[in-house]
Each structure stands twice: as C-alpha cells, then as structure tokens.
C-alpha cells in the first residue's frame, strides 16, 4: 500500500469569513507600526501589505485562530504567519509602559491610589518535572502568574513579567519592588488579602488589604464594613482583567512561556487602544 499526500478529486480547501470585533484605529495603529519597522530595517517587500498582515495577526490574538488555518486561508506558509505574529508582538510589547513612569504619570494627573491584583493565565500542561512549578495549587491548574495595576477606573496601566503559576502574589510584588515604586510616586494601592504582609508599616501603610478572619478572631462590624468599602473600591480591577482576557489567545496559552511576557504586554497596548478610542 502506498501513501499519497494528494487530495481527492472532489475535495478542495474551504475558506470562511469571520468578523473581527476591533476598531479601525487599532488596525491602523498596528499597520503603521509595521510600516515604520519595515522602513527602519529597509525591508522593501512583503508578500502582503502591512494592513493585511495586521488583520491576520489581530485575528490570531483576538480569536485564537490556529496559524495553519490563517496561513491556508491567505495562501502563505505557516512559518510566515508565525514570523508576522512574533514580529508584531515584539513591536507592541516595546510600547508597553514602564512601572516607574506609569506611577509618576498617575501622580501628576492627580491620582491618589492604584489597584493591584494577580491572576493566572492557563497554559497547556507539559510533561516532566520542569512543568510542576507552573501548577497553581490555589487554582488547581497549570498556568502563568502575573500582576497587573489599574487606575481607579479599572484601566490597565502596567503588567508584570509572567512567572510560574505557583508564584505567590507577595513574592511577585517584592520581585518587582511594587512597594518602593509606590512610595517614590507618593501613591497608595488597594489590594486583596493575598497581599497581606507586603506592607508592614502600620502607621502609614501604602498598600491597603483589609481584615482577615481566623479561628480565634472574628471580624467586628467595623472591620466587616471596612472590607465592604475596600471591595467596592477594588471592583474596577476585575473590569481591567476582563478587557484583557477578551483576547482569546489567553484562554489557554500554547506559546513558549519565555515569550508570554511579550505577549501580555502587547495585549496591554492593544487593550488600551480599544478602550481609549
């Protein structure tokens, strides 16, 4: 028996159209970014114009379309689409704001507090002991942990580097020197109970986390009311995460974890383009 790669006579590749729920401003921004990059590296020719490449990459990020499917629908190779994706993600990630500059900007605009929280982005489970550190016991699944800051209205202003899923919120915050940057900018932060112990200054705390009950200590009515007020103030941070996770590529990452940081920061730039239009 011989094997053949030829298609049957009555079969042909099928292509369908899909709506991309993004603004023209976002597509034009990405296309202009690519045009400037091509001019800088003196690349005279691409098989497709920058605008078409931008739409293909946005389709991958927004709908989590497979590279092979996008390549087949546009008559290019899968490696070409992968190169376009990685190229534009790197260009967008370079525009992501730095933590110190972002906090100083918030302070100049009259802001007083920011909202901080951590989340887990699910990843494919890989075999071997090396993947065990990506398992989050709290979420009971494999993923990558990252911190995010939003302003009082829930607009994402900064995203940390991706870390193994077992990383604690406090560990990530200490690694990024969140407390030091907040004090330097003169800002406070509202956080959940996962950040308890990060700021041990009782007289002048920068990070407010609320009160936690224990077996030996029940919350007083005043402490319960303080927790309700804090929860109300922290609610917009969940809106920021929801906007970010509208990019379905984050449903379950299949990219290399080493490249996840670039991806998250690129999506931060795209999210702000969509929200601030």
């Amino acid at each position: 028996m011989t094997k053949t790669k030829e298609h049957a006579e009555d079969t042909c590749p099928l292509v369908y159209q899909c709506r991309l729920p993004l603004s023209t401003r976002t597509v034009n921004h990405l296309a202009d970014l690519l045009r400037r990059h091509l001019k800088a590296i003196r690349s005279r020719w691409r098989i497709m114009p920058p605008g078409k490449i931008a739409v293909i990459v946005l389709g991958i990020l927004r709908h989590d379309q497979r590279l092979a499917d996008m390549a087949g629908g546009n008559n290019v190779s899968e490696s070409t689409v992968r190169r376009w994706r990685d190229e534009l993600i790197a260009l967008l990630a370079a525009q992501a704001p730095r933590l110190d500059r972002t906090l100083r900007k918030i302070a100049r605009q009259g802001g007083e507090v920011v909202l901080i929280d951590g989340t887990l982005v699910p990843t494919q489970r890989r075999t071997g002991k090396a993947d065990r550190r990506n398992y989050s016991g709290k979420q009971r699944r494999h993923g990558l942990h990252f911190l995010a800051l939003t302003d009082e209205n829930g607009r994402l202003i900064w995203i940390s580097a991706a870390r193994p899923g077992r990383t604690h919120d406090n560990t990530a915050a200490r690694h990024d020197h969140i407390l030091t940057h907040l004090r330097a900018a003169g800002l406070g932060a509202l956080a959940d109970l996962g950040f308890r112990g990060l700021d041990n200054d009782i007289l002048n705390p920068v990070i407010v986390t609320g009160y936690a009950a224990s077996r030996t200590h029940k919350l007083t009515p005043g402490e319960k009311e303080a927790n309700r007020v804090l929860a109300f103030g922290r609610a917009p941070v969940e809106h920021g995460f929801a906007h970010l996770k509208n990019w379905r590529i984050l449903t379950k990452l299949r990219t290399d974890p080493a490249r996840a940081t670039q991806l998250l920061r690129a999506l931060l730039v795209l999210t702000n383009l969509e929200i601030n239009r």
Side-chain angles (χ1 to χ4, degrees):
M1 180 181 294
T2 59
K3 295 182 179 180
T4 177
K5 295 183 179 180
E6 295 181 358
H7 297 283
E9 294 181 357
D10 58 342
T11 62
C12 63
L14 301 178
V15 179
Y16 67 94
Q17 293 182 340
C18 181
R19 178 177 177 270
L20 189 61
L22 296 173
S23 65
T24 305
R25 177 190 176 191
T26 300
V27 178
N28 291 338
H29 177 85
L30 202 56
D32 292 341
L33 191 63
L34 181 57
R35 289 189 188 97
R36 292 194 297 268
H37 174 67
L38 296 179
K39 185 177 180 180
I41 65 175
R42 297 182 179 180
S43 178
R44 298 182 178 179
W45 181 85
R46 289 288 171 93
I47 194 172
M48 286 187 178
K52 182 66 175 179
I53 295 175
V55 171
I56 292 174
V57 173
L58 288 173
I60 294 171
L61 300 179
R62 191 67 171 187
H63 291 307
D64 196 21
Q65 296 283 0
R66 301 300 189 268
L67 299 181
D69 295 338
M70 296 299 289
N74 292 278
N75 295 321
V76 294
S77 67
E78 182 178 350
S79 61
T80 298
V81 175
R82 179 181 292 105
R83 184 170 63 251
W84 290 344
R85 181 202 63 183
D86 295 342
E87 186 177 44
L88 285 177
I89 285 177
L91 293 174
L92 286 169
Q95 294 185 325
R98 287 176 45 179
L99 178 58
D100 52 349
R101 296 177 181 175
T102 297
L103 294 179
R104 287 199 299 266
K105 181 179 179 180
I106 294 293
R108 286 196 303 267
Q109 293 174 348
E112 297 180 354
V113 297
V114 295
L115 311 179
I116 181 174
D117 203 357
T119 191
L120 189 78
V121 175
T123 60
Q124 281 188 330
R125 181 177 179 180
R126 294 176 172 82
T127 59
K129 296 182 179 180
D131 194 49
R132 289 183 180 178
R133 63 194 201 124
N134 288 336
Y135 182 78
S136 170
K138 179 180 178 180
Q139 301 288 341
R140 296 185 179 181
R141 59 182 177 180
H142 288 76
L144 296 175
H145 175 276
F146 70 94
L147 296 177
L149 292 180
T150 71
D151 59 14
E152 298 177 28
N153 298 320
R155 186 177 66 89
L156 285 167
I157 58 177
W158 176 79
I159 284 182
S160 72
R163 296 186 174 89
R166 69 180 183 184
T167 305
H168 193 275
D169 289 339
N170 275 354
T171 303
R174 290 190 181 101
H175 188 274
D176 290 319
H177 308 287
I178 298 291
L179 186 59
T180 302
H181 287 296
L182 288 171
R183 291 189 186 278
L187 295 175
L190 304 182
D192 59 16
L193 295 178
F195 292 88
R196 291 182 71 240
L198 180 61
D199 186 1
N200 295 321
D201 191 339
I202 301 177
L203 299 178
N204 187 25
V206 173
I207 299 179
V208 180
T209 58
Y211 300 94
S214 64
R215 294 181 179 178
T216 59
H217 173 70
K218 294 184 179 180
L219 296 181
T220 65
E223 291 173 340
K224 292 181 180 179
E225 181 63 24
N227 282 351
R228 280 193 290 268
V229 173
L230 180 62
F232 180 79
R234 287 191 59 258
V237 73
E238 301 299 336
H239 301 163
F241 280 131
H243 287 305
L244 182 67
K245 292 184 179 181
N246 279 335
W247 300 92
R248 295 177 187 172
I249 195 172
L250 296 182
T251 302
K252 180 171 284 188
L253 284 180
R254 290 177 295 276
T255 186
D256 186 353
R259 297 183 178 179
T261 298
Q262 270 195 340
L263 173 61
L264 290 169
R265 290 176 176 170
L267 296 180
L268 167 64
V269 175
L270 292 174
T271 300
N272 287 336
L273 283 173
E274 282 294 299
I275 294 177
N276 299 330
R277 58 183 177 179

